Amino acid sequence: MSVPLLKIGAVLSTMAMVTNWMSQTLPSLVGLNGTVSRAGASEKITLFQSPEEGWQLYTSAQAPDGKCICTAVIPAQSTCSRDGRSRELRQLMEKVQNVSQSMEVLELRTYRDLQYVRGMETLMRSLDARLRAADGSLSAKSFQELKDRMTELLPLSSVLEQYKADTRTIVRLREEVRNLSSSLAAIQEEMGAYGYEDLQQRVMALEARLHACAQKLGCGKLTGVSNPITVRAMGSRFGSWMTDTMAPSADSRVWYMDGYYKGRRVLEFRTLGDFIKGQNFIQHLLPQPWAGTGHVVYNGSLFYNKYQSNVVVKYHFRSRSVLVQRSLPGAGYNNTFPYSWGGFSDMDFMVDESGLWAVYTTNQNAGNIVVSRLDPHTLEVMRSWDTGYPKRSAGEAFMICGVLYVTNSHLAGAKVYFAYFTNTSSYEYTDVPFHNQYSHISMLDYNPRERALYTWNNGHQDL
């Protein structure tokens, strides 16, 4: 008798009764050649010699409705895990999922900014129309002032057009990601009937285009902060969460640290999606407790302030060991010079496009914020700047492109109020609104890989 077709995507147990199997199709789907031996009313299709080496299929008697009832013995789980194509497919699926998550964040941010851009474009056109209409009704001086102001705004037109073009590019990228996800899902059902090299190239191309799109933002002066997106509400009022700023795009692990002092437990989630669902995580138990919430993950290691000391600790996740620890000369600790909310936030570690930074204060600096570049290997201070801004008056702070931005409060109504430029050793006061959705920020960090601000706001993890 012949063995009818059963989709290879069906779930099989170690000894499962399956119907509608086609013996000619299974070997080609899994990339194997089988041999068939007939023995009267039943037959045996042997693809390998034993279940440990591969598939074995047995058929039994014919059912009353004419179908053949078959028993399938699948190989040990380790055999499947060694299959190169299955492993590559799984890796590709994970990469596409990571790209999709990054696209969602980028699209949300871009959509909000585009609304602002369109409003500015409408305002410019309205101003131009009013300027033309008012040609004869204004004094020469007033008219010239308006004309000069309009001339200053004209270069923005090309920027607006480029921004709209970039937005269209993001929409096309999103559609390509969806198409690729559909292709991978179909391949997963067919167990490998597709060109993996072609898929790998498509994934790499999408990652490169996404990275290039994000890099277009470049380094410049901060002029606005978009409204945050709440990723999850988990833990106590104070804490920190972060991703590795130096990790490749395929690595979207999330680290979670609840509380602001004496804590030692760090949860590592495999992806942002797992963090949202609270699944697929491992636990690291730090050998020394932390103080504050100013931790950062950089190139596979956690940098944090050791509790009741001014010691910086570098903990390596893979080896689960402390690689180096060093005192930060003169740095206050144990709530001597915290941010306005307290919480042992004397020392705050940050990463931007140029490397690892520490923000703290000393008695010698009269409680003003000091920002220092640290060598990530030795934790030695490479250079320091005295910003002149009192740390107890700061709500939180973050670094972007070598510029330290400081908020004037951790509560509702906070603004980015102060900026210190390390490249020129100069500062300026700013007035950038900062949406404090849950009214109590205890952690604020910039991620240069994603060009996004991570916040812990009253038990909510925002992005």
Side-chain angles (χ1 to χ4, degrees), residues 138-401:
L138 293 174
S139 66
K141 181 179 179 181
S142 298
F143 179 77
Q144 187 60 42
E145 288 177 353
L146 281 174
K147 189 175 180 180
D148 292 343
R149 183 59 177 167
M150 192 63 195
T151 302
E152 293 176 5
L153 293 175
L154 282 177
L156 285 177
S157 298
S158 58
V159 176
L160 296 177
E161 290 301 320
Q162 181 60 49
Y163 204 99
K164 290 191 289 185
D166 290 344
T167 303
R168 291 191 293 269
T169 299
I170 291 173
V171 172
R172 289 195 297 270
L173 280 170
R174 181 189 62 185
E175 190 60 32
E176 289 188 42
V177 170
R178 287 178 177 174
N179 293 339
L180 187 55
S181 298
S182 299
S183 298
L184 287 172
I187 294 165
Q188 197 170 35
E189 291 183 1
E190 296 299 330
M191 290 293 288
Y194 201 91
Y196 290 96
E197 292 182 1
D198 178 58
L199 280 171
Q200 180 72 29
Q201 292 174 359
R202 291 175 66 186
V203 170
M204 292 177 64
L206 279 171
E207 286 182 326
R209 291 172 64 185
L210 179 62
H211 181 71
C213 187
Q215 290 299 319
K216 280 188 178 182
L217 297 174
C219 275
K221 186 182 294 186
L222 180 69
T223 58
V225 179
S226 60
N227 290 342
I229 301 167
T230 299
V231 175
R232 191 176 182 191
M234 174 184 179
S236 65
R237 193 177 187 186
F238 314 97
S240 60
W241 72 294
M242 65 219 83
T243 58
D244 191 338
T245 59
M246 284 286 287
S249 56
D251 184 352
S252 64
R253 286 176 294 170
V254 173
W255 286 271
Y256 169 91
M257 302 169 68
D258 190 13
Y260 64 85
Y261 77 109
K262 291 186 179 180
R264 295 176 58 200
R265 191 175 72 130
V266 182
L267 300 185
E268 177 186 311
F269 293 84
R270 197 162 62 96
T271 66
L272 179 61
D274 289 331
F275 174 70
I276 294 172
K277 298 175 183 177
Q279 64 184 20
N280 294 329
F281 64 87
I282 60 175
Q283 176 176 286
H284 299 269
L285 194 62
L286 301 178
Q288 299 156 332
W290 72 68
T293 59
H295 331 297
V296 70
V297 175
Y298 181 61
N299 201 19
S301 293
L302 172 70
F303 296 80
Y304 70 96
N305 175 210
K306 179 182 174 182
Y307 179 60
Q308 290 189 329
S309 75
N310 62 1
V311 172
V312 186
V313 179
K314 179 182 180 180
Y315 175 84
H316 189 239
F317 284 115
R318 179 170 295 180
S319 64
R320 294 178 178 263
S321 63
V322 172
L323 297 185
V324 62
Q325 55 183 339
R326 182 184 294 272
S327 294
L328 202 54
Y333 62 93
N334 205 29
N335 267 342
T336 303
F337 298 112
Y339 287 125
S340 60
W341 65 275
F344 296 88
S345 56
D346 303 77
M347 298 168 64
D348 194 0
F349 302 103
M350 309 172 183
V351 171
D352 71 351
E353 290 78 2
S354 56
L356 178 65
W357 302 82
V359 169
Y360 55 101
T361 214
T362 67
N363 286 319
Q364 291 77 8
N365 294 92
N368 292 330
I369 291 177
V370 176
V371 56
S372 295
R373 276 288 306 275
L374 299 183
D375 184 317
H377 303 292
T378 65
L379 299 182
E380 293 180 339
V381 174
M382 301 165 63
R383 185 179 174 183
S384 295
W385 293 261
D386 183 351
T387 67
Y389 192 91
K391 191 164 186 288
R392 285 184 175 274
S393 297
E396 273 287 346
F398 55 93
M399 294 287 298
I400 301 179
C401 297

Side-chain angles (χ1 to χ4, degrees), residues 121-135 143 146-147 150-151 153-154:
E121 186 177 31
T122 302
L123 181 62
M124 289 175 62
R125 288 176 179 172
S126 175
L127 180 59
D128 183 56
R130 292 172 61 185
L131 184 61
R132 295 177 187 275
D135 195 350
F143 179 77
L146 281 174
K147 189 175 180 180
M150 192 63 195
T151 302
L153 293 175
L154 282 177

